[in-house]
Amino acid sequence: MSRPPIKIVSGMPILGPFAENWANVQRFQAREDDIMINTYPKSGTTWMSEILDLILNDGDLKKASRGAIFERVPFLEYAVPDMPTGTEILDTMKTRRLIKSHLHVELVPQSFWEKNCKVIYVARNPKDVLVSYYHFYQMAIVHPDPGTFDEFLQGFMEGTLAFGSWSRHVKGWWNIREQKNVLFLFFEDMLEDSKRAIKKVAEFIGKDLPNDVLEKIQQHTTFKAMKENKMSNYSTIPSSVMNHGISPFMRKGICGDWKNHLTVAQNEIFDAYLKKELSGIDLTFRFQD
Ligand code: PPS
């Protein structure tokens, strides 16, 4: 597998190999107590996954080190040759399952809604998403060649990158957040006060954790702690698949890194795109600390 082209499934661009398992994703049988962590890529999925796994295990660090984050929280859409797919792994997993997904709200398998599963959605300001995604495209070879940053920016605005349009994704989830069992959070709020976010998530899934456990989870899920932890930093994946020498998965973990990457002209173009995409919706983002 070397930089396969993007394919389209149900109108959404997806990583080429993932398209092969699309029918099984749509047929996937959710269980009542499943929890989905849904994001547009590079918006805090891994961070939220680690937090949730620790919440479910009452802050037990030993339990949280039982496997890499992508094993503890399987990726629903995942499918690459010669590896078990996300749906296969999930089918064999005991409850209570944590499930990672980047699916747009309208593409979530019907069983999640039938079972009224809880979903935690994390949104991040799109300028930092763009920069993080550009670095990720380069280091993870399941993506096509990202081209220049300018080309990638165009692809982001046109919605041709893997998982499609950022704005459509975020708006779709924002619009249903009060009708469904969805907790909608922002990456920047997590950065501002991660303990507050952890408490909110715990309450949402019905766990009443004492203060010392909340603090333990907070300490274990700082950027530094997760970057150093081989169970959360993706370093156990072969470098032929994810090359951390090109860019580490745990790259910077901050708000505002986009300022180091977008030119004034690119920023103006992107601001115009955002103004158009987010007009008429009460959804705003923080672009700096
Ligand atoms: S993926 O591939 O879509 O699942 O990636 P995802 O986990 O959503 O996003 C990766 C970015 O999240 C940053 N990250 C963190 N930031 C702050 N604190 C913690 N604990 C943390 N864990 C992950 C990670 O560094 C990526 O962002 P960038 O901007 O590239 O650093």
Side-chain angles (χ1 to χ4, degrees), residues 13 40 126 130-131 133-134 137 146-162 164-167 262-263 265-273 276-277:
Y40 188 81
L130 166 73
V131 169
Y133 211 5
Y134 184 60
Y137 251 67
T148 64
F149 185 67
D150 214 37
E151 287 163 352
F152 195 76
L153 169 68
Q154 283 303 325
F156 188 97
M157 293 188 298
E158 286 161 9
T160 54
L161 304 182
S165 159
W166 169 85
S167 63
L262 274 81
T263 63
Q266 286 167 336
N267 193 37
E268 281 173 4
I269 291 167
F270 203 64
D271 278 340
Y273 154 81
K276 186 167 138 269
E277 294 296 314

Side-chain angles (χ1 to χ4, degrees), residues 110-169:
Q110 196 50 34
S111 61
F112 279 94
W113 307 126
E114 286 161 7
K115 298 280 162 59
N116 196 27
C117 296
K118 287 187 169 29
V119 182
I120 293 158
Y121 186 87
V122 187
R124 185 182 189 185
N125 90 65
K127 294 182 185 177
D128 284 326
V129 171
L130 166 73
V131 169
S132 181
Y133 211 5
Y134 184 60
H135 286 87
F136 189 55
Y137 251 67
Q138 293 173 67
M139 69 87 76
I141 61 115
V142 69
H143 299 91
D145 186 323
T148 64
F149 185 67
D150 214 37
E151 287 163 352
F152 195 76
L153 169 68
Q154 283 303 325
F156 188 97
M157 293 188 298
E158 286 161 9
T160 54
L161 304 182
F163 298 101
S165 159
W166 169 85
S167 63
R168 199 174 138 198
H169 200 287

